[in-house]
Amino acid sequence: MTTDPGTPRRAPAGAAVLREDVTDAIRAAVFEELAAVGFARMSIEGIARRAGVGKTAVYRRWKSKLSLVLDLVSAFAAEGLPAPATGSLYGDVRALLEVASHALRHPVASQVIPDLLVEAARHPEISDAIKAALLDPQQGVAALVVRDAVARGELPETTDPDRALDLIVGPLYWRLVVVRAGLPKGYLDELARGAGAALGA
């Protein structure tokens, strides 16, 4: 028996078709579940229930709740801190703070990241994953800011990019994520000037 080459081939039975609307619904459900119960109590069952899908729909996309959350955090981090190129140290730091201030008020930062940091203290695999998803990209941006400032003669060649990142983003993280306070008018300008002065000292 031969098969007509003009007949369309049927997809294999049971083949998984990952609908984008279902994926989006699952991602939205993750944020809701984290806000409601936290990472430790979050479950695939709860996520599926909020998304209005079966557990298998979640497992087709992610193998565990950790891989799901870290995937979202990684995507958020990748678009959160583009390297500024304003032509001055103050301008670069100020631009970095502007982007970071918006990023740190995003649900991923305000609800997900602090909870994951608590879990990271107990689970090395979470700590390593968070470092790769969040810290490494930010260190790369800080290194570019320092490199350009050194080339312009605004910073000494011995300037440490890791210290630069601490000075620039650390106070902002403390205020927005830990203390959960607002930003007074002119705060980012003052912070940019202060960070620049500290780096050049």
Side-chain angles (χ1 to χ4, degrees):
M1 181 177 179
T2 60
T3 302
D4 183 354
T7 303
R9 298 180 63 184
R10 296 181 60 186
V17 179
L18 303 183
R19 290 169 43 192
E20 190 61 32
D21 60 329
V22 172
T23 302
D24 291 343
I26 294 171
R27 286 174 172 148
V30 172
F31 293 128
E32 295 174 7
E33 189 75 356
L34 280 166
V37 302
F39 178 82
R41 294 175 57 198
M42 186 180 77
S43 66
I44 295 296
E45 291 81 359
I47 293 169
R49 185 168 55 252
R50 286 182 185 272
V53 301
K55 288 189 299 181
T56 55
V58 181
Y59 282 119
R60 284 194 192 107
R61 293 161 173 81
W62 298 277
K63 63 181 180 180
S64 67
K65 69 175 185 178
L66 176 60
S67 63
L68 197 169
V69 171
L70 290 176
D71 177 53
L72 298 185
V73 171
S74 298
F76 165 74
E79 64 184 27
L81 289 174
T86 66
S88 71
L89 175 60
Y90 170 81
D92 285 354
V93 171
R94 179 62 176 77
L96 186 58
L97 286 169
E98 185 69 36
V99 174
S101 69
H102 288 292
L104 289 173
R105 284 177 281 189
H106 188 281
V108 171
S110 62
Q111 298 175 5
V112 178
I113 295 175
D115 202 17
L116 284 178
L117 291 176
V118 172
E119 294 299 320
R122 295 193 287 262
H123 303 287
E125 70 275 13
I126 298 180
S127 177
D128 292 342
I130 290 176
K131 181 180 182 299
L134 294 177
L135 182 58
D136 291 350
Q138 292 184 19
Q139 286 178 325
V141 171
L144 290 175
V145 169
V146 169
R147 182 201 65 187
D148 291 347
V150 169
R152 290 189 298 263
E154 294 178 286
L155 290 177
E157 294 183 0
T158 55
T159 302
D160 182 0
D162 289 346
R163 177 171 173 264
L165 184 62
D166 292 343
L167 289 170
I168 296 169
V169 182
L172 194 62
Y173 181 90
W174 174 264
R175 185 175 187 91
L176 292 179
V177 180
V178 179
V179 179
R180 295 183 181 271
L183 299 181
K185 184 178 180 179
Y187 178 81
L188 295 183
D189 297 327
E190 294 176 6
L191 195 57
R193 285 192 291 268
L199 287 171

